[in-house]
Amino acid sequence: MAFSAAFAAYPDKPIRFVVPFAPGGGTDIIARTLGVEMSKDLGQPVIVDNKPGAGTLIGTDNVAKSAPDGYSVVVASFAHAINPALQPKLPYGSNKAFAPVILIGRGPNVLVVRPDSPYKSVADLVAAAKASPGKLTFASQGAGTSAHLAGEMFANLAKVKLSHIPYRGAGPALTDLLGGQVDMMFGTAAAVSNFVDSGKLRALGVTTAEPSPALKGVPAIAASVPGYVVESWYGLYVPAGTPAAVIERLNAAARKAARAPDFVRKIEHEGLVINAGPPTELDTYVRAEEERWARVIKENGIKAD
């Protein structure tokens, strides 16, 4: 009875959103924007806690080992579905360490270069990479992230060799891209859209099968590299064993927040297709992504750095 009564009052203190990346990237932006909206419904602050490193394993493991009480939530993305195949040993054992809360949405990555780059199209970039194998560099927010795998798949399908430069988050990666230390990045739309809009970066293509309505005039990379498709996504997980009533409360608040006019307006330039359904939607989607990328990783011999 005491246990039920305690969770009937949930939440009665701030909720922690763990983002397993450095501040400034797409996952961080989504987490902070969603958290502001959810706090209105939950009546408690949602605090973002950035814990980057080890291809998202540090932050993800932190939540896996937290109390299953609904006060520690990991904001998961592409790497969460990749790590079981990419990492030889997960510190939290397996994805059974988590319970799904909600799939917020899905969106494209964007291949971006500096505005002074000599590459004006995907075809230009492929030609340069073929002429100088391994010379061109691409940044990512860490090994096994969407930017990393997007670059590896691009190189594989375009039959070119690129050099991967991993960072501890999208923010540091973008800083070096803007500074000229790397040639390109397959960044999430959430992380790069403002730079594209302001003219600080040039978008060459999106990673979805078709062009994104949010990035007008930017072609799909698949038009130049047939079969190329990579999708970013954002979802919330809590530790396994979290009471169903708490998960339902979080899910309801997140569904409301993801469709709130303020949230939609703030992320409208990021190409995010809102899902915001029941917890089973996230579970089904991620299981399918795990299977798809496990095949790609095995077939191409991709290893974590």
Side-chain angles (χ1 to χ4, degrees):
M1 184 65 70
F3 181 84
S4 299
F7 283 101
Y10 175 86
D12 60 4
K13 63 182 181 180
I15 294 168
R16 186 175 63 116
F17 272 13
V18 173
V19 173
F21 298 104
T27 307
D28 186 63
I29 292 168
I30 295 295
R32 292 180 188 277
T33 309
L34 187 74
V36 168
E37 291 300 318
M38 286 182 65
S39 67
K40 297 175 184 177
D41 184 65
L42 294 169
Q44 291 289 340
V46 174
I47 300 168
V48 174
D49 185 7
N50 295 92
K51 290 187 176 296
T56 75
L57 292 184
I58 291 175
T60 305
D61 186 47
N62 178 271
V63 172
K65 292 179 170 59
S66 295
D69 55 11
Y71 291 101
S72 292
V73 180
V74 64
V75 185
S77 56
F78 184 90
H80 194 88
I82 300 306
N83 279 334
L86 194 68
Q87 301 289 345
K89 188 175 181 181
L90 295 174
Y92 43 83
S94 73
N95 280 341
K96 292 181 181 179
F98 301 96
V101 175
I102 192 168
L103 174 63
I104 300 300
R106 313 183 321 275
N109 278 21
V110 188
L111 172 55
V112 289
V113 295
R114 293 182 307 281
D116 61 349
S117 170
Y119 315 120
K120 303 293 196 297
S121 67
V122 174
D124 286 348
L125 198 150
V126 171
K130 286 185 175 179
S132 302
K135 181 180 179 181
L136 296 184
T137 57
F138 73 97
S140 82
Q141 62 266 46
T145 60
S146 60
H148 177 200
L149 271 293
E152 297 288 2
M153 179 178 273
F154 178 88
N156 182 263
L157 292 178
K159 295 179 172 58
V160 299
K161 181 174 176 57
L162 303 174
S163 294
H164 173 227
I165 311 296
Y167 291 82
R168 288 172 62 86
L174 284 165
T175 296
D176 271 13
L177 175 61
L178 292 164
Q181 280 72 46
V182 288
D183 294 309
M184 70 189 101
M185 182 175 179
F186 295 81
T188 62
V192 306
S193 59
N194 286 338
F195 294 102
V196 173
D197 290 345
S198 65
K200 293 180 179 178
L201 289 174
R202 178 193 301 143
L204 299 186
V206 295
T207 64
T208 40
E210 301 293 334
S212 170
L215 293 149
K216 294 178 180 179
V218 182
I221 293 172
S224 300
V225 182
Y228 184 81
V229 178
V230 179
E231 195 173 61
S232 291
W233 57 270
Y234 305 95
L236 305 181
Y237 284 93
V238 290
T242 300
V246 171
I247 292 174
E248 290 171 10
R249 182 73 180 95
L250 283 169
N251 177 271
R255 290 174 83 158
K256 184 176 180 180
R259 299 191 183 280
D262 281 353
F263 180 81
V264 173
R265 184 175 65 253
K266 288 176 181 176
I267 57 91
E268 64 184 353
H269 295 301
E270 283 131 30
L272 197 69
V273 176
I274 302 296
N275 288 86
T280 52
E281 181 182 46
L282 175 61
D283 190 53
T284 300
Y285 176 79
V286 173
R287 285 178 186 274
E289 282 288 278
E290 284 179 358
E291 292 178 7
R292 181 167 81 94
W293 284 103
R295 290 194 299 270
V296 172
I297 289 167
K298 183 178 180 180
E299 290 169 2
N300 294 282
I302 297 172
K303 305 291 184 182
D305 290 348

